[in-house]
Amino acid sequence: ESATGRAAVSSANPVATAAGLEILSKGGNVVDAAVAVSFALGVVEPDASGIGGYGQMLIRLDSMPRPIVIEFMTRLPEDVLSNEHSIRAGGGYPDDGPVLPNVPGTIAGMHTAWMKYGSHKVKWADLVAPAIRAAKNGYVVSDGLATTLATEREHFLKYEGSRKLFFPNGKPLQAGDTLRNPDLAWALQQIAD
C-alpha cells in the first residue's frame, strides 16, 4: 500500500500497529502512538512485553534540538535484596515465580513520555483503549506465542493463572486461537482511569 501521510507505525503484531495508527488518526503524535503500541503489545505478546516490564524510549521530535531517552527500568523491592542469601540458597535465583518480583517501569515510562512529549490532543485513556479492547474482546494467538507456550510449557503449567489462561483443557493455545484476557483488561482499565 502506498504511503499517504507523514508518519508510519511498525510493530511486531498487527493489533499493536493498528493501535498506533488509530492514535495518529485521532490527531496524536508519534509519542502518543508509541504509547498505544506499547500497551497493545503488552496484551498480544504476553511472553515478551507488558505492563510488568521495563525499557527505554528514544524520542526525537522536530521541535527538539537533539533526541532524548526515557529509561523506565525495573527495580527490585528492598526486601528481596536484604533476603538475597535465603533466596539464593539453592545456588542461584529460581527461573521464575513470585520470589522474583520487581517494580515495573513501563507504565511510569509511558506516562512520562505522554506527559512531556505527547501531543496533548489525545487523552491518556484513549492511548490505553486499544489494548483494553484487545484484552477484553480477544486477539488471534501468533505463531510466536504458540511456540513459546509449547516450548516453555513447564513454566506456564506451574501457576493456576497461566494454566487457566494459556492452557485451556490442559493443552497450550495454538496459533490462530482467540485469547481473551479479562483480568488484564480490568488492570488496563485501572491504568486508563
Side-chain angles (χ1 to χ4, degrees):
E1 200 171 315
S2 62
T4 58
R6 298 186 59 197
V9 176
S10 177
S11 81
N13 188 287
V15 172
T17 299
L21 292 171
E22 177 182 325
I23 297 307
L24 290 176
S25 73
K26 290 182 175 191
N29 68 7
V30 293
V31 174
D32 299 327
V35 170
V37 167
S38 177
F39 280 114
L41 279 174
V43 174
V44 299
E45 289 190 336
D47 55 329
S49 303
I51 57 176
Y54 57 91
Q56 301 101 16
M57 184 185 287
L58 176 65
I59 300 172
R60 169 61 166 81
L61 300 174
D62 286 343
S63 61
M64 300 168 67
R66 63 179 192 233
I68 61 99
V69 173
I70 299 175
E71 281 195 325
F72 39 99
M73 302 308 288
T74 186
R75 299 276 190 238
L76 289 174
E78 196 173 309
D79 188 51
V80 170
L81 296 176
S82 65
N83 290 314
E84 184 175 11
H85 64 281
S86 62
I87 293 169
R88 292 179 59 124
Y93 292 110
D95 290 337
D96 59 19
V99 76
L100 295 174
N102 66 61
V103 178
T106 297
I107 297 167
M110 293 300 110
H111 193 260
T112 298
W114 174 71
M115 289 291 290
K116 289 186 174 184
Y117 303 102
S119 69
H120 302 285
K121 295 178 182 175
V122 183
K123 296 177 187 171
W124 173 252
D126 291 338
L127 303 182
V128 187
I132 295 169
R133 283 194 314 267
K136 185 177 181 180
N137 299 336
Y139 60 93
V140 175
V141 172
S142 69
D143 290 332
L145 176 55
T147 299
T148 297
L149 294 174
T151 59
E152 298 184 20
R153 176 185 194 104
E154 67 279 356
H155 294 291
F156 289 97
L157 290 174
K158 285 183 187 178
Y159 306 102
E160 180 184 345
S162 56
R163 280 194 311 268
K164 180 181 171 188
L165 186 61
F166 299 118
F167 288 79
N169 305 315
K171 296 180 180 179
L173 292 170
Q174 300 294 307
D177 288 345
T178 298
L179 175 57
R180 290 175 185 81
N181 192 337
D183 292 336
L184 181 56
W186 180 88
L188 288 166
Q189 188 62 59
Q190 306 316 299
I191 293 166
D193 292 345

